Structures are given as structure tokens and as C-alpha cells.
Amino acid sequence: MWQAITEHINSELECDFQLEHKQQLAGGSINLAWHIKGMGQQFFVKINQREQVEQFETEVLSLQALQQAHCIRVPQVICHGQTLDKAFLVLEYLPFAGETVAGWRNLAQQLALLHKQHEQAMYGFDWDNMLGSTVQPNKWQSNWSSFFSEQRIGWLLQLLLEQGFGFGNIDQLVEQCRQRLQHYQPPPSLLHGDLWRGNVGFVADSPAIFDPACYYGDREADLAYSTLFGRFPEAFYQAYKELYPLDKAYSERKDLYNLYHVLNHAYLFRGAYLVQAQELIKQLFH
């Protein structure tokens, strides 16, 4: 496997990289992560089963979309592909260090600049992609309330129902979600889509984001998720609001947007997330 990956790196970079050291990294509940070195070069490598290659292909498309926005650093894509039994993605290795207040403020300012780019008129993305290992549909729609209620909440409720976990009448819940958002039509922003603390790193005071699940949607969805599992430091939110103030009604939509991620966690990991999803649905819709 490593020989094949090395050959892909050399073919892409037109170099003569020779693998001298590899170290498996902690974290990542979906892919295996490795730091590899040799010949004065180093790379970050993600490995999964061969049939998961589409997950890496869509991750590349999201990374490229963020890179083309020229706002926030993302790891450079080196190559991706398949060996006889594995799928792999090779990225630039970023030597992350500790967090700083300046780093979080820089992230906030760069994210605000990303969200301020309103070049897209509709909600969605050119491709469906993956949120973790869950397919995330991104069919273009012109109405935000329809997009979010159908392709985010309705989609996950249906996936959970197919696994035997029902949370009520899906059509009714989707309609209630749509009504909550029906008079709200935010400008579409390019979103990271999976913006939690585990997908942020810092090289000195310079932030980088990774593992994206991009689509064009309401910027508040990125901000909301950043508060759900390990809230970002307060300096981040202060700096973001200074550059791009939030709507007063954001607090009323935040839990609705986070329901999508709670449902996804319930789908992937079961357990307490199923209870959390049930309680949040009750709180939002009853």
C-alpha cells in the first residue's frame, strides 16, 4: 500500500520522495491518519477502505472550493486514489501548535471574509458530499427554508427511520422546520459545513481549517455548529461580529441548525445522541 501511495506522490509532484518514517496519528473516528516523512519532505495521509474513495474525492472538491475563495488556509491537496484494498488522500502536512487568542481572532476575521463572498445566488453545491461518513445531498435550490428543511433535516430523519429510529412524522417535522425559516432568505455563503473545534488548527497565529463538507447556505449554520461540541473561545465570536454582525434572530435559529448535526451524530454513533436528538426535536417543534 505505501509503495503505491509513494508512487502517486512522486507522479503528482514529479519528485523522488522515499518513505523513511511513518507515524499513525490519534483522533479520526472514520479514517486512519498518518504522518509520513522522507527526503526532507512530509505529508499527511488519510486511509480508508477502497470503497470509501468517493468520500476522499468529495473532500478534495470542498478543499479546492475553500482554497479558491482565498480567505482561509486549507491543507494543499497532493493526490488521492486507490490501492488494491485501500483508498487514500495525501495532503500537505501542517505543523500545528497550540492555540492563541490572536489565532482565534484571525480565524474569525478570515471566516467572516469567506462568508461575505456572495457570488452564488442559490443554495447547494455542484456535488453531493459527505458529513463524516454520511452522504450530504446538495441539490441546488432557490429557497433556503426548503433547502434546509428537506435536504438537511428531512434527509437525516429518513436515514434514521430506515435504521429503525423514528422521531415523529417526517413530513410534519419538515413542514414545521420550513415554517420556522419561511420568512428568512439569507445570502448564500460558502460554508465549511463541519466547523467544530476538531477541524481547526494553528501554525503559530495562522489558522487553517480542514475536513470540510462545503455547500452554499446560511453562514449562521457554520457559527451555530462552532458552539455545539467544544465552543470556540469568546474572542473568536467578538472578532467575527466586529467584521460581520449577526442578525438579532440568530439565537432563535441556532438550535434548529444544530439539530442537523445532532441527528447526524445520532445516525453515526447512536447512544446518547439519539436521546439528545429526541429532546431537541421536542424543544423545537412541540
Side-chain angles (χ1 to χ4, degrees), residues 12 44 46 52-68 74-81 88-92 125 127-130 190 210-214:
E12 188 63 36
F44 177 79
K46 296 168 98 169
Q52 298 300 316
V53 68
E54 188 180 349
Q55 178 184 324
F56 292 147
E57 289 170 351
T58 62
E59 181 176 341
V60 167
L61 294 168
S62 287
L63 287 167
Q64 288 172 341
L66 288 167
Q67 192 171 43
Q68 287 162 11
V74 296
Q76 181 81 30
V77 175
I78 306 300
C79 59
H80 64 285
F88 66 89
L89 170 61
V90 181
L91 301 171
E92 169 191 13
F125 205 49
W127 305 270
D128 293 346
N129 49 24
M130 311 287 283
L190 179 62
F210 44 91
D211 290 353
C214 289

Side-chain angles (χ1 to χ4, degrees), residues 103-113 235-237 239-240 243:
W104 283 108
R105 288 186 63 85
N106 289 337
L107 175 65
Q109 291 162 356
Q110 292 169 17
L111 187 70
L113 290 173
F236 167 87
Y237 300 103
Y240 185 95
L243 201 58

Side-chain angles (χ1 to χ4, degrees), residues 53-225:
V53 68
E54 188 180 349
Q55 178 184 324
F56 292 147
E57 289 170 351
T58 62
E59 181 176 341
V60 167
L61 294 168
S62 287
L63 287 167
Q64 288 172 341
L66 288 167
Q67 192 171 43
Q68 287 162 11
H70 302 293
C71 292
I72 311 179
R73 184 176 185 178
V74 296
Q76 181 81 30
V77 175
I78 306 300
C79 59
H80 64 285
Q82 293 166 302
T83 66
L84 284 174
D85 61 343
K86 300 292 183 185
F88 66 89
L89 170 61
V90 181
L91 301 171
E92 169 191 13
Y93 178 78
L94 297 175
F96 292 138
E99 305 171 1
T100 64
V101 173
W104 283 108
R105 288 186 63 85
N106 289 337
L107 175 65
Q109 291 162 356
Q110 292 169 17
L111 187 70
L113 290 173
L114 175 73
H115 288 165
K116 275 186 163 187
Q117 293 185 7
H118 301 310
E119 296 162 4
Q120 177 54 247
M122 298 179 74
Y123 307 99
F125 205 49
D126 280 336
W127 305 270
D128 293 346
N129 49 24
M130 311 287 283
L131 182 65
S133 57
T134 308
V135 173
Q136 177 172 264
N138 292 314
K139 182 183 176 186
W140 291 107
Q141 288 184 254
S142 58
N143 183 281
W144 173 243
S145 63
S146 297
F147 176 88
F148 187 79
S149 59
E150 294 165 13
Q151 296 195 62
R152 294 296 178 259
I153 302 305
W155 170 253
L156 255 301
L157 288 171
Q158 183 61 41
L159 289 181
L160 280 156
L161 183 63
E162 288 168 7
Q163 287 191 335
F165 302 107
F167 292 93
N169 184 295
I170 293 177
D171 289 342
Q172 285 181 3
L173 290 170
V174 167
E175 179 57 24
Q176 285 177 281
C177 177
R178 193 189 66 77
Q179 288 177 9
R180 286 280 295 268
L181 296 170
Q182 67 176 340
H183 299 301
Y184 178 60
Q185 186 79 347
S189 299
L190 179 62
L191 307 184
H192 176 282
D194 196 3
L195 191 68
W196 70 290
R197 210 164 182 144
N199 289 341
V200 175
F202 299 91
V203 180
D205 291 336
S206 177
I209 53 177
F210 44 91
D211 290 353
C214 289
Y215 65 99
Y216 287 87
D218 182 7
R219 67 188 175 113
E220 292 179 0
D222 264 355
L223 273 291
Y225 190 39

